[in-house]
Amino acid sequence: MSPTSLSTFGAAGPMVGYLYQVRVALLWALRRSPAGDFTVSIETLDDVSFEVGGEPDAVLQTKHSLNAMANLTDLSPELWKTMRIWLAGLESGEIPAETARFLIATAASPAGRACSALGIEGDGRDVEEAAKRLKHAATTSSNSELKDAFEAYLALDEAAREGLLARVYVVPSQPDADPLNEQLKVELYNVSLHHQSL
């Protein structure tokens, strides 16, 4: 059986979700710009992808929720559908193991959940705990819509799961589209000041 290609995953969500990912792509590109040359793409390997020297350096999944009280749980479709895409990319070789993977979400990530254990370094990050919680979720859930994601995750041995999760970062409670515009204005102003000083 041949690996699933990333091209089989559609991203025809609501327009607000697409506009959100475009704004996130621009914001992250502006923040990365001092680090050197890179290429940013939308809807290629993931919602947003950054390549350095022709190789994927980071991929981003953006999840914009219209529900202000939304939370990322161990069984959140946002998490597992993202994991399914990343697992397919790993299997096909389109997203190498060393590529950083970011889930950018407007939803919160309560303490004691896998997503909170996959936060940015130094912020309660615990890959081993996240791996245990996701294994438990995948083996006990009866959610048929997420069955493929559960099976793909459990198909990896424990070392491979932890290896994958070591490159996964969940960034929750991000501003929605309007506040994000304000952040973009600040970053664009900073870039303009930088170029004026050169």
Side-chain angles (χ1 to χ4, degrees):
M1 186 169 138
S2 61
T4 303
S5 172
L6 292 178
S7 63
T8 62
F9 295 95
M15 182 57 75
V16 66
Y18 181 74
L19 292 175
Y20 185 74
Q21 78 183 39
V22 169
R23 290 173 182 171
V24 168
L26 179 56
L27 182 63
W28 279 57
L30 289 168
R31 290 177 175 168
R32 285 181 64 119
S33 61
D37 292 337
F38 60 87
T39 302
V40 60
S41 304
I42 296 174
E43 297 293 349
T44 54
L45 296 178
D46 213 329
D47 286 349
V48 181
S49 58
F50 292 92
E51 293 185 6
V52 176
E55 293 296 322
D57 179 62
V59 292
L60 284 63
Q61 269 281 319
T62 60
K63 299 299 181 184
H64 181 276
S65 176
L66 297 176
N67 177 1
M69 302 300 289
N71 286 321
L72 293 169
T73 69
D74 294 346
L75 287 170
S76 289
E78 296 87 352
L79 169 64
W80 282 103
K81 289 177 180 180
T82 295
M83 289 295 294
R84 180 67 184 107
I85 291 169
W86 289 342
L87 287 161
L90 182 66
E91 183 184 14
S92 69
E94 293 169 274
I95 305 178
E98 62 273 14
T99 302
R101 296 156 168 85
F102 293 87
L103 172 56
I104 314 296
T106 55
S109 177
R113 308 286 172 83
C115 286
S116 63
L118 293 173
I120 300 299
E121 301 286 354
D123 190 23
R125 186 171 171 82
D126 187 341
V127 170
E128 185 177 346
E129 176 64 18
K132 288 178 185 174
R133 294 194 69 86
L134 293 178
K135 179 181 178 183
H136 177 75
T139 54
T140 60
S141 175
S142 58
N143 187 331
S144 60
E145 289 185 11
L146 301 178
K147 182 182 176 185
D148 288 348
F150 296 151
E151 289 178 350
Y153 181 74
L154 294 173
L156 299 177
D157 62 34
E158 298 212 7
R161 284 183 219 139
E162 288 194 24
L164 171 66
L165 295 178
R167 302 297 290 157
V168 169
Y169 301 90
V170 178
V171 187
S173 303
Q174 292 303 288
D176 63 21
D178 289 335
L180 197 62
N181 272 346
E182 295 306 310
Q183 291 187 12
L184 280 169
K185 289 176 185 177
V186 170
E187 293 295 334
L188 286 166
Y189 178 73
N190 290 338
V191 168
S192 176
L193 285 180
H194 173 73
H195 285 290
Q196 287 177 27
S197 65
L198 293 179

